[in-house]
Amino acid sequence: GAGVSQSPSNKVTEKGKDVELRCDPISGHTALYWYRQRLGQGLEFLIYFQGNSAPDKSGLPSDRFSAERTGESVSTLTIQRTQQEDSAVYLCASSYYAGGANVLTFGAGSRLTVL
Amino acid sequence: GQNIDQPTEMTATEGAIVQINCTYQTSGFNGLFWYQQHAGEAPTFLSYNVLDGLEEKGRFSSFLSRSKGYSYLLLKELQMKDSASYLCAVRDRRSTDSWGKLQFGAGTQVVVTP
């Protein structure tokens, strides 16, 4: 597609429920990143994919968080047993390797509210 | 790991110049980026530095000193639309990873006043 697409754009859930957030990167982009941004704060790195493998999962906050990517395309971020502190905007970004600056293009984000 | 520090907020008047400093510590530096983020929107790319020196792009310039772990973003001829958060980001490459993850600072909120 022309841009990075994320769904849902807004999700309200009850504490303890599982949620899935989806990211469709720009076609041909081999790298895909997930970030979390709490209100008024900076971007917190969660995980990134190179193709379908994840060289760096160091940012995942706990074992309740997982992510996968298939076909070097769509990625899903799953949060199990959601907690109120999971409330944030989850941003996805993609890039292709051009031998230099791998500029990230961000999606509009998925705003998660845990009640 | 790495630390990225930048001021929380800066205020300047329309038409003026503002310089946003960023200092970082990283074990595998592989490039520094500046992004702009308007409230409620996704970040957008502004500039990239991997070698020491100044990169100029219109009203925006970015400088890097790798030996000092220091960068700045210079915004000239400020316009009201420049009011936004400016994010410094460093690519950190581990030995097992040819690309490296992009780690962001907390952002500097720039407020442009008439």
Side-chain angles (χ1 to χ4, degrees):
Chain A
V4 178
S5 178
Q6 292 188 247
S7 61
S9 55
N10 274 289
K11 176 73 176 179
V12 180
T13 190
E14 293 179 347
K15 178 182 172 181
K17 301 280 190 182
D18 297 352
V19 295
E20 279 191 357
L21 307 176
R22 176 187 168 105
C23 174
D24 276 284
I26 292 173
S27 179
H29 278 195
T30 53
L32 186 148
Y33 299 74
W34 283 100
Y35 289 88
R36 177 170 72 179
Q37 187 171 34
R38 292 193 169 108
L39 188 64
Q41 299 189 19
L43 275 66
E44 178 186 356
F45 171 80
L46 297 178
I47 186 171
Y48 98 96
F49 291 90
Q50 213 180 104
N52 291 337
S53 64
D56 196 330
K57 306 179 183 179
S58 61
L60 293 178
S62 72
D63 59 7
R64 295 188 296 106
F65 288 72
S66 64
E68 64 175 20
R69 187 180 187 196
T70 56
E72 295 197 356
S73 180
V74 172
S75 176
T76 303
L77 177 69
T78 302
I79 309 173
Q80 296 179 309
R81 305 182 301 282
T82 52
Q83 304 294 313
Q84 289 183 332
E85 64 262 27
D86 300 335
S87 295
V89 175
Y90 289 82
L91 290 163
C92 174
S94 69
S95 74
Y96 66 90
Y97 185 67
N102 310 321
V103 176
L104 269 61
T105 301
F106 283 85
S110 292
R111 181 177 299 277
L112 175 66
T113 304
V114 182
L115 302 176
Chain B
Q2 61 196 61
N3 296 311
I4 302 172
D5 293 310
Q6 49 182 130
T8 304
E9 184 171 315
M10 303 182 74
T11 301
T13 54
E14 204 172 4
I17 298 173
V18 69
Q19 177 174 315
I20 307 169
N21 295 325
C22 172
T23 58
Y24 64 88
Q25 293 176 305
T26 182
S27 53
F29 178 81
N30 193 25
L32 186 142
F33 297 75
W34 285 95
Y35 280 78
Q36 179 190 60
Q37 186 178 28
H38 285 100
E41 297 182 12
T44 55
F45 170 75
L46 287 179
S47 70
Y48 166 72
N49 296 72
V50 67
L51 300 176
D52 291 350
L54 187 68
E55 294 284 339
E56 297 187 85
K57 192 186 292 186
R59 293 188 300 114
F60 295 175
S61 302
S62 58
F63 172 84
L64 175 67
S65 169
R66 289 170 296 170
S67 62
K68 295 181 180 177
Y70 168 71
S71 172
Y72 67 73
L73 179 70
L74 195 69
L75 314 181
K76 298 180 233 179
E77 301 167 18
L78 279 174
Q79 302 175 9
M80 297 300 291
K81 67 178 181 180
D82 297 330
S83 290
S85 181
Y86 291 84
L87 308 171
C88 175
V90 175
R91 189 176 297 282
D92 183 4
R93 180 177 60 199
R94 300 186 305 182
S95 59
T96 57
D97 172 9
S98 61
W99 280 32
K101 67 184 183 186
L102 195 61
Q103 194 87 356
F104 283 79
T108 298
Q109 185 66 44
V110 170
V111 178
V112 182
T113 60

Short mmCIF file of all heavy atoms in Angstrom, two decimals, chain B residues 53-75:
data_model
loop_
_atom_site.label_atom_id
_atom_site.label_comp_id
_atom_site.label_asym_id
_atom_site.label_seq_id
_atom_site.Cartn_x
_atom_site.Cartn_y
_atom_site.Cartn_z
N GLY B 53 29.54 16.16 11.17
CA GLY B 53 29.33 17.34 10.36
C GLY B 53 27.90 17.77 10.31
O GLY B 53 27.05 17.27 11.05
N LEU B 54 27.66 18.74 9.43
CA LEU B 54 26.36 19.39 9.33
C LEU B 54 25.64 18.95 8.06
O LEU B 54 26.23 18.92 6.99
CB LEU B 54 26.58 20.91 9.29
CG LEU B 54 25.35 21.80 9.35
CD1 LEU B 54 24.69 21.71 10.73
CD2 LEU B 54 25.73 23.24 9.05
N GLU B 55 24.37 18.60 8.21
CA GLU B 55 23.51 18.29 7.07
C GLU B 55 22.43 19.37 7.01
O GLU B 55 21.73 19.58 7.99
CB GLU B 55 22.85 16.92 7.24
CG GLU B 55 23.79 15.74 7.21
CD GLU B 55 24.27 15.42 5.81
OE1 GLU B 55 23.59 15.81 4.84
OE2 GLU B 55 25.33 14.77 5.68
N GLU B 56 22.32 20.02 5.88
CA GLU B 56 21.34 21.10 5.75
C GLU B 56 20.25 20.71 4.79
O GLU B 56 20.52 20.17 3.71
CB GLU B 56 22.03 22.39 5.28
CG GLU B 56 23.07 22.91 6.28
CD GLU B 56 23.62 24.27 5.90
OE1 GLU B 56 23.00 25.28 6.23
OE2 GLU B 56 24.68 24.30 5.27
N LYS B 57 19.02 21.02 5.21
CA LYS B 57 17.86 20.70 4.37
C LYS B 57 16.83 21.81 4.56
O LYS B 57 16.00 21.76 5.45
CB LYS B 57 17.29 19.34 4.77
CG LYS B 57 16.28 18.78 3.81
CD LYS B 57 15.65 17.50 4.34
CE LYS B 57 16.61 16.36 4.41
NZ LYS B 57 15.95 15.08 4.81
N GLY B 58 16.94 22.83 3.72
CA GLY B 58 16.00 23.94 3.82
C GLY B 58 16.17 24.69 5.12
O GLY B 58 17.28 25.07 5.50
N ARG B 59 15.09 24.87 5.87
CA ARG B 59 15.15 25.61 7.12
C ARG B 59 15.70 24.76 8.26
O ARG B 59 15.99 25.28 9.34
CB ARG B 59 13.75 26.11 7.50
CG ARG B 59 13.16 27.15 6.57
CD ARG B 59 11.86 27.73 7.12
NE ARG B 59 10.82 26.73 7.32
CZ ARG B 59 10.34 26.37 8.50
NH1 ARG B 59 10.81 26.91 9.62
NH2 ARG B 59 9.37 25.48 8.57
N PHE B 60 15.84 23.46 8.02
CA PHE B 60 16.31 22.57 9.07
C PHE B 60 17.74 22.10 8.79
O PHE B 60 18.08 21.77 7.65
CB PHE B 60 15.41 21.33 9.17
CG PHE B 60 13.99 21.59 9.61
CD1 PHE B 60 13.06 20.58 9.63
CD2 PHE B 60 13.58 22.86 10.01
CE1 PHE B 60 11.75 20.82 10.04
CE2 PHE B 60 12.28 23.11 10.42
CZ PHE B 60 11.36 22.07 10.43
N SER B 61 18.57 22.07 9.83
CA SER B 61 19.93 21.54 9.72
C SER B 61 20.16 20.62 10.91
O SER B 61 19.62 20.85 11.99
CB SER B 61 20.97 22.66 9.78
OG SER B 61 20.75 23.61 8.76
N SER B 62 20.97 19.60 10.70
CA SER B 62 21.32 18.71 11.82
C SER B 62 22.82 18.49 11.82
O SER B 62 23.45 18.35 10.77
CB SER B 62 20.57 17.38 11.72
OG SER B 62 20.86 16.74 10.50
N PHE B 63 23.37 18.45 13.03
CA PHE B 63 24.82 18.32 13.22
C PHE B 63 25.10 17.09 14.06
O PHE B 63 24.33 16.75 14.96
CB PHE B 63 25.35 19.57 13.93
CG PHE B 63 26.80 19.45 14.35
CD1 PHE B 63 27.82 19.71 13.46
CD2 PHE B 63 27.12 19.07 15.65
CE1 PHE B 63 29.15 19.60 13.85
CE2 PHE B 63 28.44 18.95 16.05
CZ PHE B 63 29.46 19.21 15.14
N LEU B 64 26.23 16.44 13.77
CA LEU B 64 26.63 15.27 14.55
C LEU B 64 28.12 15.32 14.89
O LEU B 64 28.95 15.64 14.03
CB LEU B 64 26.36 13.99 13.75
CG LEU B 64 26.84 12.68 14.38
CD1 LEU B 64 26.05 12.37 15.65
CD2 LEU B 64 26.75 11.53 13.39
N SER B 65 28.44 14.97 16.14
CA SER B 65 29.81 14.72 16.57
C SER B 65 29.80 13.35 17.25
O SER B 65 29.31 13.22 18.37
CB SER B 65 30.30 15.79 17.54
OG SER B 65 31.52 15.38 18.13
N ARG B 66 30.34 12.36 16.57
CA ARG B 66 30.32 11.00 17.11
C ARG B 66 31.24 10.87 18.33
O ARG B 66 30.91 10.18 19.29
CB ARG B 66 30.72 10.00 16.04
CG ARG B 66 29.66 9.80 14.96
CD ARG B 66 30.21 8.98 13.82
NE ARG B 66 31.30 9.66 13.13
CZ ARG B 66 32.09 9.10 12.23
NH1 ARG B 66 31.91 7.83 11.90
NH2 ARG B 66 33.04 9.79 11.65
N SER B 67 32.37 11.57 18.30
CA SER B 67 33.31 11.46 19.43
C SER B 67 32.71 12.04 20.71
O SER B 67 33.02 11.58 21.81
CB SER B 67 34.62 12.16 19.10
OG SER B 67 34.41 13.55 18.89
N LYS B 68 31.83 13.01 20.57
CA LYS B 68 31.21 13.63 21.74
C LYS B 68 29.83 13.04 22.04
O LYS B 68 29.22 13.40 23.05
CB LYS B 68 31.07 15.14 21.53
CG LYS B 68 32.41 15.86 21.43
CD LYS B 68 32.22 17.35 21.26
CE LYS B 68 33.57 18.06 21.16
NZ LYS B 68 33.44 19.51 20.93
N GLY B 69 29.34 12.17 21.19
CA GLY B 69 28.00 11.64 21.40
C GLY B 69 26.96 12.75 21.43
O GLY B 69 26.10 12.80 22.31
N TYR B 70 27.04 13.63 20.43
CA TYR B 70 26.25 14.86 20.47
C TYR B 70 25.71 15.19 19.09
O TYR B 70 26.38 15.05 18.07
CB TYR B 70 27.16 15.99 20.96
CG TYR B 70 26.61 17.39 20.80
CD1 TYR B 70 25.55 17.84 21.58
CD2 TYR B 70 27.15 18.25 19.85
CE1 TYR B 70 25.06 19.14 21.43
CE2 TYR B 70 26.67 19.54 19.69
CZ TYR B 70 25.62 19.97 20.48
OH TYR B 70 25.13 21.24 20.33
N SER B 71 24.47 15.66 19.09
CA SER B 71 23.84 16.14 17.87
C SER B 71 22.98 17.34 18.21
O SER B 71 22.58 17.53 19.37
CB SER B 71 22.96 15.04 17.26
OG SER B 71 22.19 15.53 16.17
N TYR B 72 22.74 18.17 17.22
CA TYR B 72 21.71 19.20 17.40
C TYR B 72 20.89 19.34 16.13
O TYR B 72 21.37 19.04 15.03
CB TYR B 72 22.28 20.54 17.84
CG TYR B 72 23.15 21.28 16.83
CD1 TYR B 72 22.60 21.90 15.71
CD2 TYR B 72 24.53 21.39 17.05
CE1 TYR B 72 23.40 22.59 14.80
CE2 TYR B 72 25.33 22.08 16.15
CZ TYR B 72 24.77 22.67 15.03
OH TYR B 72 25.56 23.35 14.14
N LEU B 73 19.67 19.78 16.32
CA LEU B 73 18.76 20.12 15.22
C LEU B 73 18.54 21.62 15.28
O LEU B 73 18.19 22.16 16.34
CB LEU B 73 17.43 19.39 15.36
CG LEU B 73 16.39 19.68 14.28
CD1 LEU B 73 16.81 19.09 12.94
CD2 LEU B 73 15.02 19.11 14.69
N LEU B 74 18.79 22.29 14.18
CA LEU B 74 18.64 23.74 14.11
C LEU B 74 17.43 24.07 13.23
O LEU B 74 17.36 23.63 12.08
CB LEU B 74 19.92 24.35 13.51
CG LEU B 74 20.12 25.84 13.67
CD1 LEU B 74 20.40 26.17 15.13
CD2 LEU B 74 21.29 26.31 12.81
N LEU B 75 16.52 24.80 13.80
CA LEU B 75 15.33 25.23 13.06
C LEU B 75 15.44 26.74 12.84
O LEU B 75 15.48 27.52 13.80
CB LEU B 75 14.06 24.92 13.84
CG LEU B 75 13.92 23.54 14.48
CD1 LEU B 75 12.57 23.41 15.19
CD2 LEU B 75 14.06 22.45 13.45
#
